[in-house]
Amino acid sequence: MQYTLKKSLGQHFLNDENMCVKIVAQLTTSPGMQLLEIGPGGGAITKYLLELNDIHYKAIEIDTEKVAYLQKTYPSIKGKILEQDILKAAAPFQGTFSVIGNFPYNISSGILFKILEWEPQVSEAIGMFQKEVALRVASGPGSKVYGILSVLMQAFFKVEYLFEVHEKCFTPPPKVKSAVLRFTNMNNPYEINDKKKFINLVKTAFNQRRKTLRNALKGLLPAPMLANPIMDKRAEQLSVSDFVTLYKEFEA
Ligand code: SAH
């Protein structure tokens, strides 16, 4: 059975078996664990995931054609594949689960925000990203690429830049470079209780990243907070824990 490759859905399928095995090997497995694959596509990594022992697997795939293909090619996937848009999906499991996928690059920010939304339930995520996005998410203060998603993801997860994946490992080869990240849930180490408020603060701070925080946060924070000398800095100079300090003061 053949299928078409849809550029609009970011379909760059892995064709390199060693690479598929290497990606699956990054997953921390435990008996009875729940695992969500985002965008299984033609099943390049799916076939290895389905072989894992004692795992409750589910997949979310938006493309009807690939859902039909997967069900035909891997009969054991029946009942485990949800034909849905990941960005609109509800958490597919109760309790904790891990996430894996060679993600569609056009919605990688949306997927990261989804992982953030599901964070109380996500123990680990292994994902393929466009290299620039991966570097950005894993970067720290002072770096030019440090931004909203670096702070937000690192506030909840340990972020590891695992390895790069050559273009020729994909069909068709993407025009951009690729890299795999691992997110390990740190169980809300900073005790952020109002995630929405934290996200809003970080987004607003970076919205005008060349301005001082005092200017960027003028409309959001009360005047006494704006007097703090830290407000002379720019968002990209603040560490994750600096942001948490601001958030706690804001929340109080
Ligand atoms: N995992 C496969 C395919 C990766 S390509 C492999 O490595 O070969 C990305 C996959 O994500 C495609 O199958 C595409 O159809 C799917 N996809 C794209 N947008 C999606 C969305 N909004 N929700 C769910 N799946 C999506």
Side-chain angles (χ1 to χ4, degrees), residues 9-14 39-41 44 61-62 84-86 102 104 107:
L9 293 177
Q11 292 183 350
H12 295 273
F13 289 180
L14 281 161
E61 169 60 61
I62 200 171
Q84 284 178 1
D85 177 350
I86 179 64
N102 166 19
I107 56 164

Side-chain angles (χ1 to χ4, degrees), residues 20-211:
C20 294
V21 170
K22 185 173 174 181
I23 292 167
V24 171
Q26 305 309 313
L27 201 62
T28 309
T29 56
S30 61
M33 75 181 280
Q34 308 189 104
L35 176 66
L36 170 67
E37 183 181 9
I38 299 175
I45 53 180
T46 314
K47 58 181 178 291
Y48 298 105
L49 298 173
L50 291 171
E51 280 172 7
L52 295 172
N53 261 328
D54 197 9
I55 275 198
H56 300 286
Y57 171 94
K58 281 188 187 172
I60 295 183
E61 169 60 61
I62 200 171
D63 185 2
T64 311
E65 183 193 17
K66 301 306 174 298
V67 172
Y69 172 84
L70 287 167
Q71 284 171 340
K72 204 154 203 173
T73 315
Y74 305 103
S76 70
I77 209 172
K78 273 262 158 64
K80 300 179 178 176
I81 177 159
L82 308 163
E83 189 182 326
Q84 284 178 1
D85 177 350
I86 179 64
L87 302 182
K88 295 181 185 151
F93 294 105
Q94 302 214 307
T96 59
F97 60 95
S98 295
V99 175
I100 193 165
N102 166 19
F103 299 146
Y105 295 168
N106 51 331
I107 56 164
S108 47
S109 297
I111 291 175
L112 288 167
F113 275 104
K114 213 35 169 172
I115 292 172
L116 201 60
E117 176 192 327
W118 292 344
E119 167 277 325
Q121 285 181 268
V122 177
S123 17
E124 181 181 69
I126 310 286
M128 177 95 67
F129 294 87
Q130 177 176 343
K131 181 181 170 184
E132 279 85 78
V133 173
L135 284 173
R136 175 186 298 278
V137 175
S139 72
S143 155
K144 268 193 190 146
V145 297
Y146 181 63
I148 295 167
L149 280 167
S150 334
V151 176
L152 296 180
M153 297 310 287
Q154 290 172 35
F156 295 92
F157 296 92
K158 178 171 104 186
V159 180
E160 291 169 276
Y161 187 90
L162 294 179
F163 50 83
E164 292 170 11
V165 182
H166 198 277
E167 293 90 301
K168 68 179 186 222
C169 293
F170 303 87
T171 307
K175 292 206 172 65
V176 295
K177 300 208 173 293
S178 301
V180 176
L181 290 179
R182 178 195 283 126
F183 300 89
T184 308
N185 198 315
M186 305 300 284
N187 297 315
N188 198 1
Y190 297 106
E191 298 178 357
I192 296 167
N193 298 318
D194 189 342
K195 207 191 279 172
K196 279 205 178 122
K197 202 162 186 175
F198 183 67
I199 293 174
N200 188 32
L201 175 70
V202 174
K203 278 188 171 171
T204 312
F206 276 103
N207 252 341
Q208 297 166 290
R209 59 184 293 144
R210 302 232 214 101
K211 292 199 175 173

